[in-house]
């Protein structure tokens, strides 16, 4: 009697999907048990209400925390549909939407490294939902996963795609930080043109981003002329509106320096550090892109943006998901052989270590909250409250070393 076995994919995919749904259900229950506030989602809804009422968007203070509007006016336009929903329905849809976006984010991240198998997407999503940046994103009702999906959707298109640049342009129009991806493409195109006489694909991508950004911004300016003028002439420069720079949740270099120096104004120290880190990080991203390492380039650019931003809240670090996936699959993309085993093992150990950092919630183990306790942290506490930055710097260093070794062997 001949037994015909089902393909492995048909057997593994349903198991992986079941595990993912079970993990998501447990996550949903845990979020409800923790009585999450979704405070940022409430701010988004208040912005939409202000737009519909014709109010002053940047004079808005809402929720018990009196939070202000910090995004460009285009974002507020996108938030207006939230005003049509009651609070309970809005929170339910926001949670479901973020979980769906997480799956897409994971799928696009795996596509970057050519490992976009269905079962892999489900297993990775089941694990990724429990990391602190994703937990906090859903807890606050944030849009980080949406921005990440827009950027990765853009950067996983085939070269010369007619929609190239639209995702990055729209993401930057909603929130300015993704604009660094356009800068990365621009620098890559210029360097390619100088070296090879042609930087067409990257420069066309930049043009697409610029057109999408300009179109969204002009649309907002037509609908909200006063708010647009206020934001681009004044509010965009007032980084203090976002929150306290020394807050433990601020996982940027500026936040680390503020806590390390016990000051609310790290000033020139931060400017110098950001310039150096930004230049080196962008250089690593460009070098990786020119060597055909798109996954490394994208992740390096994302980490650089998070490090040099004046404020990078812990939930902004959802980019830890592609970081871990890239580290975990990096060795498999290399030529196999005994000489590669050490590199593969190192990559896997680093991937596990990075995953533990972002799943440990360690930055919340230190004194934080009212009273500006972060300005009095000890050495060990400072270490815990700088884990994300440390992981980001290690990641950039590993990519840089890998590129340098590759260059030496060419």
């Amino acid at each position: 009697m001949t037994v015909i076995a089902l393909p492995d994919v048909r057997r593994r995919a349903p198991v992986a999907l079941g595990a993912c749904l079970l993990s998501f259900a447990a996550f949903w229950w845990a979020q409800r048990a923790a009585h999450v506030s979704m405070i940022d989602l409430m701010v988004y809804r208040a912005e939409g209400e202000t737009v519909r009422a014709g109010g002053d968007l940047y004079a808005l203070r809402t929720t018990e925390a009196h939070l202000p509007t910090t995004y460009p006016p285009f974002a507020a336009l996108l938030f207006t549909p939230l005003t049509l929903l009651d609070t309970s329905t809005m929170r339910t849809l926001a949670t479901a939407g973020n979980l769906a976006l997480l799956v897409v984010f994971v799928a696009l991240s795996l596509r970057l490294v050519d490992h976009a198998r269905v079962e892999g997407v489900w297993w990775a999503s089941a694990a990724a939902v429990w990391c602190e940046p994703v937990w906090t994103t859903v807890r606050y009702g944030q849009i980080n996963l949406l921005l990440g999906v827009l950027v990765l959707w853009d950067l996983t298109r085939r070269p010369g795609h007619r929609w190239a640049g639209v995702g990055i342009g729209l993401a930057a129009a909603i929130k300015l930080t993704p604009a660094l991806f356009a800068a990365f493409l621009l620098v890559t195109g210029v360097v390619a043109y100088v070296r090879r006489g042609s930087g067409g694909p990257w420069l066309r991508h930049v043009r697409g981003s610029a057109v999408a950004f300009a179109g969204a911004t002009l649309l907002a300016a037509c609908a909200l002329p006063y708010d647009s003028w206020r934001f681009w002439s004044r509010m965009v420069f007032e980084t203090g509106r976002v929150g306290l720079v020394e807050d433990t949740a601020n996982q940027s270099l500026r936040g680390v320096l503020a806590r390390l120096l016990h000051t609310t104004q790290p000033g020139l120290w931060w400017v110098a550090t950001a310039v150096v880190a930004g230049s080196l990080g962008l250089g690593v991203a460009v070098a990786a892109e020119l060597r055909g390492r798109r996954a490394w380039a994208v992740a390096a650019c994302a980490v650089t943006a998070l490090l040099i931003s004046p404020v990078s809240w812990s939930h902004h670090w959802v980019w830890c998901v592609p970081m871990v996936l890239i580290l975990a699959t990096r060795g498999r993309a290399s030529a196999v052989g005994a000489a590669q085993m050490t590199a593969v093992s190192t990559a896997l150990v680093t991937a596990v270590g990075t995953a533990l950092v972002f799943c440990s919630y360690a930055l919340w183990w230190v004194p934080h909250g009212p009273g500006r306790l972060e300005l009095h942290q000890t050495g060990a506490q400072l270490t815990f409250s700088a884990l994300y930055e440390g992981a980001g710097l290690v990641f950039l260093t590993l990519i840089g070393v890998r590129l340098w070794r590759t260059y030496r062997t060419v």
Side-chain angles (χ1 to χ4, degrees):
M1 179 177 179
T2 302
V3 178
I4 300 176
L6 289 173
D8 286 344
V9 173
R10 290 187 180 181
R11 290 182 297 182
R12 293 196 302 262
V15 174
L17 174 58
C20 182
L21 293 176
L22 183 61
S23 179
F24 280 10
F27 175 88
W28 196 309
W29 176 85
Q31 287 263 318
R32 293 300 174 263
H35 303 290
V36 295
S37 64
M38 291 198 166
I39 190 170
D40 288 340
L41 182 62
M42 303 308 295
V43 174
Y44 300 157
R45 186 183 188 185
E47 290 181 24
E49 292 174 340
T50 302
V51 169
R52 293 187 63 184
D56 188 339
L57 189 59
Y58 295 99
L60 175 68
R61 293 293 186 277
T62 187
T63 73
E64 294 180 357
H66 302 287
L67 297 177
T69 301
T70 58
Y71 296 168
F74 180 67
L77 288 180
L78 298 182
F79 296 148
T80 52
L82 296 177
T83 62
L84 305 177
L85 304 172
D86 61 80
T87 301
S88 177
T89 302
M90 180 179 66
R91 291 183 175 184
T92 299
L93 291 177
T95 301
N98 265 322
L99 293 178
L101 285 168
L102 174 62
V103 174
V104 178
F105 190 54
V106 168
L108 292 173
S109 299
L110 287 172
R111 181 187 292 179
L112 272 177
V113 292
D114 296 324
H115 284 273
R117 295 178 179 175
V118 174
E119 66 271 19
V121 173
W122 296 127
W123 283 119
S125 300
V129 74
W130 295 100
C131 71
E132 190 273 341
V134 173
W135 169 277
T136 312
T137 287
V138 182
R139 171 191 175 189
Y140 292 147
Q142 262 283 345
I143 59 171
N144 306 300
L145 290 168
L146 172 62
L147 299 177
V149 165
L150 284 172
V151 170
L152 287 186
W153 172 82
D154 201 336
L155 293 172
T156 53
R157 302 296 91 194
R158 60 176 173 77
H161 193 279
R162 62 177 180 176
W163 294 105
V166 172
I168 293 174
L170 291 178
I174 296 170
K175 189 175 182 178
L176 296 178
T177 309
L180 189 66
F181 287 97
F184 147 69
L185 292 170
L186 176 61
V187 174
T188 304
V190 171
V191 172
Y193 180 81
V194 171
R195 290 182 177 179
R196 309 170 184 174
S198 175
W202 296 286
L203 296 179
R204 284 194 297 270
H205 208 141
V206 173
R207 286 199 297 270
S209 300
V211 170
F213 175 82
T217 302
L218 288 173
L219 175 63
C222 293
L224 304 168
Y226 175 71
D227 292 319
S228 294
W229 171 255
R230 285 198 70 194
F231 179 82
W232 295 108
S233 66
R234 177 182 172 187
M235 299 303 170
V236 69
F237 304 107
E238 295 185 1
T239 57
R241 288 168 51 84
V242 180
L244 300 177
V245 63
E246 76 277 5
D247 196 312
T248 296
N250 182 14
Q251 293 293 297
S252 70
L253 290 174
R254 186 170 178 238
V256 169
L257 287 172
R259 294 187 290 270
L260 179 64
L261 300 175
H262 305 295
T263 177
T264 60
Q265 297 295 333
L268 291 178
W269 286 104
W270 169 65
V271 173
T273 303
V275 168
V276 172
S279 301
L280 292 177
L282 199 59
V284 168
V286 171
E289 176 70 9
L290 290 174
R291 289 189 170 275
R293 305 284 190 174
R294 169 58 66 89
W296 296 4
V298 172
C301 184
V303 170
T304 301
L306 290 166
L307 289 174
I308 67 175
S309 177
V311 174
S312 292
W313 299 127
S314 68
H315 51 77
H316 294 165
W317 283 83
V318 292
W319 286 95
C320 68
V321 174
M323 285 171 60
V324 172
L325 293 175
I326 288 168
L327 289 170
T329 59
R330 186 183 64 165
R332 299 179 187 178
S334 303
V336 296
Q340 295 294 331
M341 294 306 295
T342 300
V344 173
S345 299
T346 302
L348 291 175
V349 170
T350 306
V352 172
T354 304
L356 290 175
V357 164
F358 288 100
C359 291
S360 67
Y361 295 71
L363 72 162
W364 301 113
W365 300 354
V366 303
H368 62 276
R372 315 196 89 158
L373 302 176
E374 290 89 344
L375 293 176
H376 307 285
Q377 290 180 357
T378 64
Q381 293 167 348
L382 287 168
T383 300
F384 280 121
S385 65
L387 284 177
Y388 289 9
E389 296 88 341
L393 290 171
V394 168
F395 181 80
L396 290 176
T397 301
L398 286 174
I399 293 178
V401 170
R402 180 73 175 184
L403 290 170
W404 179 68
R405 288 178 176 174
T406 303
Y407 175 78
R408 290 186 65 192
T409 58
V410 173

